[in-house]
Amino acid sequence: MKALITGASSGIGKEISIILNDMGYDVILVAKNKKKLEKFASTLSGNVEIFDTDISSTYNCMKLYSKVKKEDIEIVVNNAGFGLFGEFTETKIDKEMDMIDTNIKGLHTLTKLFLHDFKEKDRGYILNVASSAAFLPGPLMSTYYATKSYVLHLTEAINEELRRDKSNVYIGALCPGPVDTNFNKTAGVEFNLKSLTASYVASYAINQMFKRKTIIIPGIKIKLGVFVTRLLPRKFVTKYSYNIQRKKGN
């Protein structure tokens, strides 16, 4: 059994890789930083493959898939992604396009390619890492929030298609709140809400994935927050979201 994990060199992706490897899965680690991948791979057991590639490129995603499609992959975790803080008119468009290519296009491409194979075999798991941001508008992090909304809605839609086809293939979306990872540094934010550890989020995610939960939200506070915001007027939620985001940049 094999599992492919993108964004595997750090954070949630790294922790998920450790858990799956401990469960007996051979892991295929994907990330841009070859040195970090090699160092991490040396700590794991069994057969470990690494691919230092940038999945923001559709070509790279296709190339990656072509190299591993004949292997017995049972799990795909689309974890690679990053955020960016700032007003929409001030953030750099090239950075935003790279974010869209990574958070949306890369995930979309790998989901589509592997899902086709999984449907033919009538088995397999795809876990797409979204965010609790997917449930909200995100002033001051507008592009990031929009990408994660895409991930959530795409995953939910595919899940319904699979259900109607009576398929045994699983697809779900992990929607964590603040997590103690390199994400904060990359995005240029500081969370006021206490962050969960990446190891806890990864463990919870894998547990819920095997229970075939479609939307996975670690942490009771985030669960309650998501529930409450769904009941409130959208205009109020947008204003509230802005105030939360503004504090992150302080």
Side-chain angles (χ1 to χ4, degrees), residues 198-235:
S199 59
Y200 170 81
V201 171
S203 178
Y204 184 84
I206 294 302
N207 179 272
Q208 295 298 298
M209 180 187 78
F210 284 126
K211 290 181 178 180
R212 307 185 77 85
K213 182 76 172 177
T214 305
I215 301 175
I216 303 169
I217 307 175
I220 188 64
K221 288 183 179 179
I222 299 300
K223 280 190 178 75
L224 288 172
V226 168
F227 175 77
V228 170
T229 54
R230 285 178 162 180
L231 302 177
L232 295 172
R234 198 68 175 171
K235 189 173 182 180

Short mmCIF file of all heavy atoms in Angstrom, two decimals, residues 198-235:
data_model
loop_
_atom_site.label_atom_id
_atom_site.label_comp_id
_atom_site.label_asym_id
_atom_site.label_seq_id
_atom_site.Cartn_x
_atom_site.Cartn_y
_atom_site.Cartn_z
N ALA A 198 0.50 20.62 14.54
CA ALA A 198 0.36 19.92 13.27
C ALA A 198 0.18 18.43 13.49
O ALA A 198 -0.56 17.77 12.75
CB ALA A 198 1.59 20.18 12.39
N SER A 199 0.82 17.87 14.51
CA SER A 199 0.70 16.44 14.79
C SER A 199 -0.72 16.08 15.21
O SER A 199 -1.25 15.03 14.80
CB SER A 199 1.70 16.01 15.86
OG SER A 199 1.49 16.71 17.07
N TYR A 200 -1.35 16.94 16.02
CA TYR A 200 -2.74 16.68 16.43
C TYR A 200 -3.67 16.74 15.23
O TYR A 200 -4.53 15.87 15.04
CB TYR A 200 -3.19 17.68 17.49
CG TYR A 200 -4.68 17.58 17.76
CD1 TYR A 200 -5.19 16.60 18.61
CD2 TYR A 200 -5.59 18.45 17.15
CE1 TYR A 200 -6.55 16.48 18.83
CE2 TYR A 200 -6.96 18.34 17.36
CZ TYR A 200 -7.43 17.35 18.21
OH TYR A 200 -8.78 17.22 18.42
N VAL A 201 -3.53 17.78 14.42
CA VAL A 201 -4.39 17.95 13.25
C VAL A 201 -4.23 16.77 12.30
O VAL A 201 -5.22 16.24 11.77
CB VAL A 201 -4.07 19.28 12.53
CG1 VAL A 201 -4.80 19.36 11.19
CG2 VAL A 201 -4.46 20.45 13.42
N ALA A 202 -3.00 16.35 12.09
CA ALA A 202 -2.74 15.21 11.18
C ALA A 202 -3.37 13.93 11.71
O ALA A 202 -4.02 13.18 10.96
CB ALA A 202 -1.24 15.03 11.00
N SER A 203 -3.20 13.66 12.99
CA SER A 203 -3.77 12.46 13.59
C SER A 203 -5.30 12.47 13.51
O SER A 203 -5.92 11.46 13.16
CB SER A 203 -3.32 12.35 15.06
OG SER A 203 -3.90 11.23 15.68
N TYR A 204 -5.88 13.60 13.83
CA TYR A 204 -7.34 13.74 13.77
C TYR A 204 -7.84 13.55 12.34
O TYR A 204 -8.84 12.88 12.09
CB TYR A 204 -7.75 15.11 14.30
CG TYR A 204 -9.24 15.32 14.38
CD1 TYR A 204 -9.97 14.88 15.48
CD2 TYR A 204 -9.94 15.96 13.36
CE1 TYR A 204 -11.35 15.06 15.55
CE2 TYR A 204 -11.31 16.15 13.42
CZ TYR A 204 -12.01 15.70 14.53
OH TYR A 204 -13.37 15.88 14.59
N ALA A 205 -7.12 14.15 11.39
CA ALA A 205 -7.51 14.09 9.98
C ALA A 205 -7.51 12.65 9.46
O ALA A 205 -8.46 12.22 8.80
CB ALA A 205 -6.58 14.95 9.14
N ILE A 206 -6.45 11.91 9.75
CA ILE A 206 -6.36 10.53 9.27
C ILE A 206 -7.43 9.66 9.91
O ILE A 206 -8.06 8.82 9.25
CB ILE A 206 -4.95 9.96 9.53
CG1 ILE A 206 -3.91 10.73 8.69
CG2 ILE A 206 -4.90 8.48 9.20
CD1 ILE A 206 -4.16 10.70 7.20
N ASN A 207 -7.66 9.86 11.20
CA ASN A 207 -8.70 9.12 11.90
C ASN A 207 -10.07 9.35 11.26
O ASN A 207 -10.83 8.41 11.01
CB ASN A 207 -8.72 9.52 13.37
CG ASN A 207 -9.80 8.81 14.16
OD1 ASN A 207 -10.94 9.29 14.24
ND2 ASN A 207 -9.46 7.69 14.76
N GLN A 208 -10.39 10.61 10.98
CA GLN A 208 -11.68 10.95 10.39
C GLN A 208 -11.76 10.52 8.92
O GLN A 208 -12.84 10.18 8.43
CB GLN A 208 -11.93 12.45 10.52
CG GLN A 208 -12.08 12.95 11.95
CD GLN A 208 -13.27 12.34 12.64
OE1 GLN A 208 -14.42 12.52 12.22
NE2 GLN A 208 -13.02 11.59 13.71
N MET A 209 -10.65 10.55 8.24
CA MET A 209 -10.62 10.09 6.85
C MET A 209 -11.02 8.63 6.76
O MET A 209 -11.86 8.24 5.93
CB MET A 209 -9.23 10.29 6.25
CG MET A 209 -9.11 9.84 4.79
SD MET A 209 -7.42 9.90 4.15
CE MET A 209 -6.75 8.40 4.88
N PHE A 210 -10.45 7.80 7.63
CA PHE A 210 -10.78 6.38 7.60
C PHE A 210 -12.21 6.11 8.09
O PHE A 210 -12.76 5.04 7.82
CB PHE A 210 -9.76 5.58 8.40
CG PHE A 210 -8.45 5.39 7.69
CD1 PHE A 210 -7.26 5.76 8.28
CD2 PHE A 210 -8.41 4.86 6.42
CE1 PHE A 210 -6.04 5.59 7.63
CE2 PHE A 210 -7.20 4.68 5.74
CZ PHE A 210 -6.02 5.05 6.35
N LYS A 211 -12.78 7.09 8.78
CA LYS A 211 -14.20 7.00 9.15
C LYS A 211 -15.09 7.57 8.05
O LYS A 211 -16.30 7.62 8.19
CB LYS A 211 -14.45 7.76 10.46
CG LYS A 211 -13.85 7.10 11.68
CD LYS A 211 -14.17 7.90 12.94
CE LYS A 211 -13.60 7.21 14.18
NZ LYS A 211 -13.90 7.99 15.42
N ARG A 212 -14.43 8.03 6.96
CA ARG A 212 -15.11 8.54 5.76
C ARG A 212 -15.91 9.82 6.03
O ARG A 212 -16.96 10.06 5.43
CB ARG A 212 -15.98 7.44 5.14
CG ARG A 212 -15.24 6.15 4.88
CD ARG A 212 -16.07 5.13 4.16
NE ARG A 212 -16.18 5.45 2.74
CZ ARG A 212 -15.28 5.10 1.81
NH1 ARG A 212 -14.20 4.41 2.15
NH2 ARG A 212 -15.45 5.42 0.55
N LYS A 213 -15.38 10.66 6.89
CA LYS A 213 -15.99 11.96 7.15
C LYS A 213 -15.66 12.90 6.00
O LYS A 213 -14.50 13.07 5.64
CB LYS A 213 -15.45 12.52 8.47
CG LYS A 213 -16.03 13.85 8.89
CD LYS A 213 -17.42 13.69 9.45
CE LYS A 213 -17.91 15.01 10.06
NZ LYS A 213 -19.29 14.90 10.56
N THR A 214 -16.69 13.56 5.44
CA THR A 214 -16.46 14.42 4.27
C THR A 214 -15.79 15.74 4.63
O THR A 214 -14.84 16.17 3.97
CB THR A 214 -17.80 14.71 3.55
OG1 THR A 214 -18.44 13.49 3.24
CG2 THR A 214 -17.56 15.49 2.27
N ILE A 215 -16.28 16.41 5.67
CA ILE A 215 -15.69 17.67 6.11
C ILE A 215 -15.09 17.45 7.48
O ILE A 215 -15.80 17.10 8.44
CB ILE A 215 -16.74 18.80 6.15
CG1 ILE A 215 -17.35 19.01 4.76
CG2 ILE A 215 -16.10 20.10 6.65
CD1 ILE A 215 -18.47 20.04 4.74
N ILE A 216 -13.79 17.64 7.58
CA ILE A 216 -13.06 17.35 8.81
C ILE A 216 -12.58 18.66 9.43
O ILE A 216 -11.77 19.38 8.84
CB ILE A 216 -11.86 16.43 8.52
CG1 ILE A 216 -12.34 15.12 7.85
CG2 ILE A 216 -11.08 16.13 9.79
CD1 ILE A 216 -11.21 14.27 7.30
N ILE A 217 -13.09 18.98 10.62
CA ILE A 217 -12.74 20.23 11.30
C ILE A 217 -12.16 19.89 12.67
O ILE A 217 -12.89 19.57 13.60
CB ILE A 217 -13.97 21.15 11.46
CG1 ILE A 217 -14.65 21.38 10.11
CG2 ILE A 217 -13.55 22.48 12.09
CD1 ILE A 217 -15.95 22.18 10.21
N PRO A 218 -10.84 19.96 12.84
CA PRO A 218 -10.24 19.67 14.14
C PRO A 218 -10.48 20.82 15.13
O PRO A 218 -10.45 21.99 14.75
CB PRO A 218 -8.74 19.56 13.82
CG PRO A 218 -8.64 19.50 12.33
CD PRO A 218 -9.83 20.22 11.81
N GLY A 219 -10.72 20.46 16.39
CA GLY A 219 -10.84 21.47 17.44
C GLY A 219 -12.27 21.94 17.66
O GLY A 219 -12.91 22.41 16.72
N ILE A 220 -12.74 21.86 18.89
CA ILE A 220 -14.12 22.21 19.20
C ILE A 220 -14.41 23.70 18.97
O ILE A 220 -15.50 24.07 18.53
CB ILE A 220 -14.48 21.81 20.66
CG1 ILE A 220 -15.96 22.00 20.93
CG2 ILE A 220 -13.61 22.57 21.66
CD1 ILE A 220 -16.87 21.12 20.12
N LYS A 221 -13.44 24.56 19.25
CA LYS A 221 -13.66 26.01 19.07
C LYS A 221 -13.89 26.36 17.60
O LYS A 221 -14.75 27.18 17.29
CB LYS A 221 -12.47 26.80 19.63
CG LYS A 221 -12.38 26.80 21.15
CD LYS A 221 -11.24 27.67 21.63
CE LYS A 221 -11.17 27.68 23.14
NZ LYS A 221 -10.04 28.52 23.64
N ILE A 222 -13.12 25.75 16.73
CA ILE A 222 -13.28 26.01 15.30
C ILE A 222 -14.60 25.43 14.80
O ILE A 222 -15.31 26.05 14.00
CB ILE A 222 -12.10 25.45 14.49
CG1 ILE A 222 -10.79 26.12 14.94
CG2 ILE A 222 -12.30 25.67 13.00
CD1 ILE A 222 -10.77 27.63 14.75
N LYS A 223 -14.95 24.25 15.28
CA LYS A 223 -16.24 23.66 14.91
C LYS A 223 -17.39 24.59 15.28
O LYS A 223 -18.30 24.84 14.48
CB LYS A 223 -16.43 22.32 15.64
CG LYS A 223 -15.74 21.12 15.03
CD LYS A 223 -16.22 19.85 15.71
CE LYS A 223 -15.58 18.60 15.12
NZ LYS A 223 -14.19 18.45 15.53
N LEU A 224 -17.36 25.10 16.51
CA LEU A 224 -18.41 26.01 16.97
C LEU A 224 -18.42 27.29 16.16
O LEU A 224 -19.47 27.83 15.81
CB LEU A 224 -18.22 26.32 18.45
CG LEU A 224 -18.54 25.18 19.43
CD1 LEU A 224 -18.12 25.56 20.85
CD2 LEU A 224 -20.02 24.84 19.38
N GLY A 225 -17.22 27.80 15.86
CA GLY A 225 -17.11 29.02 15.08
C GLY A 225 -17.72 28.88 13.70
O GLY A 225 -18.44 29.76 13.23
N VAL A 226 -17.42 27.75 13.05
CA VAL A 226 -17.98 27.49 11.72
C VAL A 226 -19.50 27.39 11.79
O VAL A 226 -20.23 27.95 10.96
CB VAL A 226 -17.38 26.19 11.13
CG1 VAL A 226 -18.16 25.76 9.89
CG2 VAL A 226 -15.91 26.39 10.79
N PHE A 227 -20.01 26.72 12.81
CA PHE A 227 -21.46 26.56 12.98
C PHE A 227 -22.14 27.91 13.18
O PHE A 227 -23.14 28.22 12.53
CB PHE A 227 -21.75 25.64 14.17
CG PHE A 227 -23.21 25.51 14.48
CD1 PHE A 227 -24.03 24.71 13.70
CD2 PHE A 227 -23.77 26.20 15.55
CE1 PHE A 227 -25.39 24.59 13.99
CE2 PHE A 227 -25.12 26.09 15.84
CZ PHE A 227 -25.93 25.28 15.06
N VAL A 228 -21.57 28.74 14.05
CA VAL A 228 -22.19 30.03 14.36
C VAL A 228 -22.18 30.96 13.16
O VAL A 228 -23.18 31.63 12.86
CB VAL A 228 -21.46 30.69 15.56
CG1 VAL A 228 -21.92 32.14 15.74
CG2 VAL A 228 -21.73 29.91 16.84
N THR A 229 -21.06 31.02 12.44
CA THR A 229 -20.98 31.93 11.29
C THR A 229 -21.97 31.57 10.19
O THR A 229 -22.38 32.44 9.42
CB THR A 229 -19.55 31.95 10.70
OG1 THR A 229 -19.13 30.62 10.38
CG2 THR A 229 -18.56 32.56 11.69
N ARG A 230 -22.36 30.31 10.13
CA ARG A 230 -23.36 29.91 9.13
C ARG A 230 -24.74 30.45 9.46
O ARG A 230 -25.60 30.54 8.58
CB ARG A 230 -23.39 28.38 9.02
CG ARG A 230 -22.21 27.80 8.26
CD ARG A 230 -22.27 26.28 8.22
NE ARG A 230 -21.40 25.73 7.18
CZ ARG A 230 -21.27 24.45 6.93
NH1 ARG A 230 -21.92 23.57 7.65
NH2 ARG A 230 -20.48 24.03 5.96
N LEU A 231 -24.96 30.80 10.71
CA LEU A 231 -26.27 31.29 11.14
C LEU A 231 -26.38 32.80 11.08
O LEU A 231 -27.49 33.35 11.09
CB LEU A 231 -26.55 30.83 12.59
CG LEU A 231 -26.53 29.32 12.85
CD1 LEU A 231 -26.75 29.05 14.33
CD2 LEU A 231 -27.58 28.61 12.01
N LEU A 232 -25.24 33.49 11.00
CA LEU A 232 -25.23 34.95 11.06
C LEU A 232 -25.36 35.58 9.68
O LEU A 232 -25.02 34.95 8.67
CB LEU A 232 -23.92 35.42 11.71
CG LEU A 232 -23.71 35.02 13.17
CD1 LEU A 232 -22.30 35.37 13.62
CD2 LEU A 232 -24.75 35.68 14.08
N PRO A 233 -25.84 36.83 9.60
CA PRO A 233 -25.92 37.54 8.31
C PRO A 233 -24.54 37.66 7.67
O PRO A 233 -23.53 37.89 8.35
CB PRO A 233 -26.46 38.92 8.70
CG PRO A 233 -27.13 38.72 10.01
CD PRO A 233 -26.38 37.64 10.71
N ARG A 234 -24.50 37.51 6.37
CA ARG A 234 -23.22 37.50 5.64
C ARG A 234 -22.46 38.82 5.81
O ARG A 234 -21.23 38.82 5.92
CB ARG A 234 -23.50 37.23 4.16
CG ARG A 234 -22.29 36.79 3.37
CD ARG A 234 -21.84 35.42 3.78
NE ARG A 234 -20.75 34.94 2.94
CZ ARG A 234 -20.06 33.85 3.20
NH1 ARG A 234 -20.33 33.13 4.26
NH2 ARG A 234 -19.09 33.46 2.39
N LYS A 235 -23.17 39.91 5.81
CA LYS A 235 -22.52 41.22 5.95
C LYS A 235 -21.82 41.33 7.29
O LYS A 235 -20.69 41.84 7.38
CB LYS A 235 -23.56 42.34 5.80
CG LYS A 235 -22.96 43.73 5.72
CD LYS A 235 -24.03 44.76 5.40
CE LYS A 235 -23.43 46.15 5.26
NZ LYS A 235 -24.47 47.16 4.94
#
